[in-house]
Amino acid sequence: MHDTAPAAKASAWLAQLAEALQGRDIPAAMELFAEDCYWRDLVAFTWNVKTVEGKPAIAAMLDATLAAAGPRDWKVTEASGPEPVDAWFTFATVAGRGSGIFTLENGKCRTMLTTLQSLNGHEEPLGRHRSNGVRHGADRNRATWSEQRAAEEAAYENGTDPYCLIIGGGQGGIMLGARLKQLGVPTVIVERNANAGDSWRNRYRSLVLHDPVWYDHLPYIPFPANWPVFTPKDKMGDWLEMYVKVMELTYWGGTECVSAQFDEADKRWTVMLRRDGRTITLRPAQLVFATGAYGPPKMLDIKGADSFGGKMIHSSQYLDGSAYRDRKVVVIGAASSAHDVAVDLWEAGADVTMVQRSPTTVVRSQTLMDMAFDIYSEEAVARGIDVDKADMIAAATPFALQPPKQRALYDRIRARDAEFYRKLEATGFLLDFGPDETGLMMKAYRTGSGYYVDVGASQLIIDGEIGIKAGVEIDALTPTGIRFSDGSEIEADVIIQSTGFQSMHEVVAKIVSREIADEIGTCWGLGSGTRNDPGPWHGELRNMYKPVAQENLWFQGGNLALSRFFSKFVALQIKARMESIPTPVYSTPLQ
Amino acid sequence: MHDTAPAAKASAWLAQLAEALQGRDIPAAMELFAEDCYWRDLVAFTWNVKTVEGKPAIAAMLDATLAAAGPRDWKVTEASGPEPVDAWFTFATVAGRGSGIFTLENGKCRTMLTTLQSLNGHEEPLGRHRSNGVRHGADRNRATWSEQRAAEEAAYENGTDPYCLIIGGGQGGIMLGARLKQLGVPTVIVERNANAGDSWRNRYRSLVLHDPVWYDHLPYIPFPANWPVFTPKDKMGDWLEMYVKVMELTYWGGTECVSAQFDEADKRWTVMLRRDGRTITLRPAQLVFATGAYGPPKMLDIKGADSFGGKMIHSSQYLDGSAYRDRKVVVIGAASSAHDVAVDLWEAGADVTMVQRSPTTVVRSQTLMDMAFDIYSEEAVARGIDVDKADMIAAATPFALQPPKQRALYDRIRARDAEFYRKLEATGFLLDFGPDETGLMMKAYRTGSGYYVDVGASQLIIDGEIGIKAGVEIDALTPTGIRFSDGSEIEADVIIQSTGFQSMHEVVAKIVSREIADEIGTCWGLGSGTRNDPGPWHGELRNMYKPVAQENLWFQGGNLALSRFFSKFVALQIKARMESIPTPVYSTPLQ
């Protein structure tokens, strides 16, 4: 039987909170929170993606937002316990309906998540609210579905301005486009590649998603039950292309964004696009950068590069190893792409050496599957935790509380795979688990780099099939290879720089201006004060999914899971602006 | 709270049946059945699609099948009551696992449905059994997903024979292809049109599905929650094209099947195909006709046709009315296509008259939605009845018991829409509800003709915007129009014969031989002894989804719902033969 005590406890607590908030009695509300408490709000109260930490910060947030948000109709929908009590709830604001999760420890709230789920009068046409698809009855002015679709597509080419323009038609842009479509926001997605899905197809031959299917669903059309656990890149490409068509997105392939300038007076962007050799100008109100979480390729500037007699490329240009059989190839870098490219080269018969410049967090894929994807799994689905529910669970833990949980997870992982790690380090490979031993996920949030989910490369390294050169600086290129600071040299016919990507704000610098890019600052990272993620502490991903220093400019991106979850909130923020719904952004003390 | 009494009652009854069958004690089993009883078996016991009616027939079926089927592990999974008790159950046979529904009236079984759901050792790779998608670890002989797919496609073109060939790549062929793919049956689908989905796209401009979305799902990838209630034809076309790609079916568009001969010795077909001007021969073991439920177009042979000065086409050739503005157009026929085409012509500004040769069953779309699609609706989904569950519920009522239920439904429909029907008949339109007042669905099963779901034409008829000529025989065509047996004439610039399609066995006559086609007999119909559905009573759709007089030849078709449900059983029957699992077909006293 179901234990009803946690639900009663949760309902009683929520009723007290509701009453305090109703009476604008913030001290009474704060009585309900634990000392070490966190409130993460996704758009519902703050019109921002924001975590406030501690009682004073929560009180300040409520003080600033309560009047405009007008929260009411709080209701616990599900709870588990006895200690801590985890409770799911719904609520309403002046603007729309929301849902959330809170956690009670000793009767006090430790963590609170509030999310906006829909805007009043602008609910998505889903389920019983779906469109009819046809106006029954005869109509001499009938436009069929295909005629309407064609007219819609033609309009943008003939001078009609979309409300929103998304630069970048990879997974992030596509998912946001799908959400905006459902909300009735006229949107054009522009993508440099010819077809939707090419951003996956154009990568190296053997690329397969490192995350499992349960974590990778797109909104509205989940992958079917026969979908493989790890999606091959071309299959992913086909799915995205299908998705764009079936969701009826306006998607301009082969289109490059040349420049974008914001007109402060009429609050529209003037965006110059180059499409099939023609220049097109669109004037959207909202501009979204969805060009990939990590911006343009980052290339090392190495002394003596001119003298190098071989070929040097970035890993994003690498397709397959067929041309490199029996050649000496050096891969600079030791994160995901570097490992995948090294395996691909080894499979093609190349002589591969990986130059590792800094330590890498490595986790075996099966280990992650067994220990880290518990809420994104077939077992979770069987327990009733579908992807939307899992996303909420994942979002309910504030970033500040994740390091201890992750550290504990990696203690278990290191114990389980001790022998594997011992052999890997014996090759000279520099292994770490992050500056505070918190592992892969925290590295992903903080810098998006420095980790590898092992799907085969590590064994090749352990077996000596892929060489490792680590722990010594690159000094210069020579005509025949690389010389290191200790005087040692390795030969190379080909060098592949698998050195990552620049922040998305570099794309803004190129398209909008350096001044505005710098005003906005870098994207991604939490402000953890660890290597490559300088403080101050930010508590959310910098500049992602929320208002930034430049109005009407947004960043959307991240892996499939983050793109899926946050695309909803980006779409709601944009839709609210389109409908002139007041969106007072709470952005102190941090952005 | 849940009433547990029906489940206990059902479980007790099923335990008695299990014990009787275990002991091969057929008289004891028959004690458990009501006098007027029915057992519908889909492949589990009979390796056939078969309803046996009454105790003697059920006893004979059990006597013939029990030893080979070896049913066991009967278990009630869900039941409702108190009277009648409807119970869902699962069971196992020697070959695989099954599920079913039975109904108890006064403690005795009135109806029993048993279905085979999977074959032991050949379960579909779904959910936790899905493929991994990648062999982790380095592999110098790795073939990527796209390389494997390309090799698979190329193999058939280079002489590898599929186990199964499906002629016809509309919805029926596609759904069966998808099921076979999951079961690992090498299959090629051939389709005359260039692309998957063209069978919908190539129809008349305004075509929209008359059935709602909840009834139309394809297996594996249900339509998303934003899908319109009534799918426009081109959107359906895009979905089918996407589906073929995503489900990785081998689909040869632009391919015509010229001939097919069965070799009795090696049990393979020799099939000649014409593809892009080339002739290709394939030798599949199993041949499926999925060329549309109703075979080739049926044209009336009308006296004086040579003298007619206008244009005469079949409705399947009609695309849109733009060329017919202000022209006099006569549509011969008064079923679905005739009505839709008449509206399309009226919308284009043509002067339209419908020549009605026999009475039509008309039901307003909204009325059907309100009264007949209760288990296929958003409300049903909210009650936990998804499409698979609804299909089982629909299958649980044997055809013999449907007329009284349908008659009662149509009594209510006629009362509700009395005014509408009065006005429609006042125009001279010949209205009926079938020979026994059972309405649209029974017409669909018996003859697949003679009905219209009103989505607008009837109001145009009532308003005199579409003319009606009914109740009089066509005598001959004249140079300027049609003359009737009463001497009256109507003028026509264009005549569109909306006169239906021939039985699928005519396609067999053309491709295989007239002899084999006649040996098989017509497809579709129940043997109801009503007009165009001669007896003897058959109790299932003739020749559909099951073994026919010609071995290794199958018919697949029907609307989206029937194609979806029965494709599973066709696929299981074919897979069993491929794996040499014994499939003793029980086919007495009726096929």
Side-chain angles (χ1 to χ4, degrees), chain A residues 142 235 242 248 347, chain B residues 140 142 235 242 248 347:
Chain A
R142 182 197 298 275
K235 191 168 173 68
M242 167 288 284
E248 304 181 15
E347 289 182 350
Chain B
R140 282 207 162 127
R142 180 197 300 274
K235 191 169 172 67
M242 167 289 285
E248 304 180 17
E347 289 184 349

Side-chain angles (χ1 to χ4, degrees), chain B residues 1-21:
Chain B
M1 285 308 285
H2 219 67
D3 183 3
T4 54
K9 218 168 183 179
S11 292
W13 182 90
L14 193 61
Q16 290 180 68
L17 178 73
E19 194 186 332
L21 298 187

Side-chain angles (χ1 to χ4, degrees), chain A residues 78-228:
Chain A
E78 192 183 330
S80 64
E83 186 66 25
V85 172
D86 285 316
W88 295 67
F89 65 97
T90 56
F91 62 100
T93 65
V94 167
R97 305 199 62 82
S99 66
I101 300 177
F102 63 82
T103 306
L104 302 183
E105 290 181 10
N106 300 316
K108 304 271 185 179
C109 179
R110 182 85 198 284
T111 66
M112 167 67 94
L113 168 69
T114 46
T115 71
L116 184 68
Q117 291 290 324
S118 63
L119 292 165
N120 292 335
H122 305 286
E123 291 77 9
E124 296 188 24
L126 302 179
R128 71 180 68 230
H129 305 293
R130 68 180 81 216
S131 82
N132 214 39
V134 62
R135 238 187 351 253
H136 282 168
D139 176 3
R140 282 207 162 126
N141 299 311
R142 182 197 298 275
T144 66
W145 170 82
S146 53
E147 289 159 1
Q148 287 175 44
R149 277 291 294 137
E152 189 180 357
E153 294 291 330
Y156 297 122
E157 315 207 12
N158 298 328
T160 300
D161 287 315
Y163 182 75
C164 181
L165 181 79
I166 301 174
I167 305 173
Q171 62 213 29
I174 288 172
M175 289 194 236
L176 177 59
R179 303 270 197 196
L180 290 169
K181 178 87 183 185
Q182 294 312 307
L183 288 171
V185 177
T187 301
V188 174
I189 304 171
V190 297
E191 163 62 37
R192 198 184 338 209
N193 289 305
N195 298 302
D198 285 355
S199 55
W200 284 96
R201 294 192 192 97
N202 291 348
R203 300 299 305 279
Y204 49 91
R205 172 179 170 269
S206 57
L207 176 63
V208 167
L209 268 63
H210 290 188
D211 290 328
V213 59
W214 305 279
Y215 190 61
D216 297 332
H217 290 297
L218 276 65
Y220 308 111
I221 314 182
F223 293 115
N226 69 327
W227 201 261

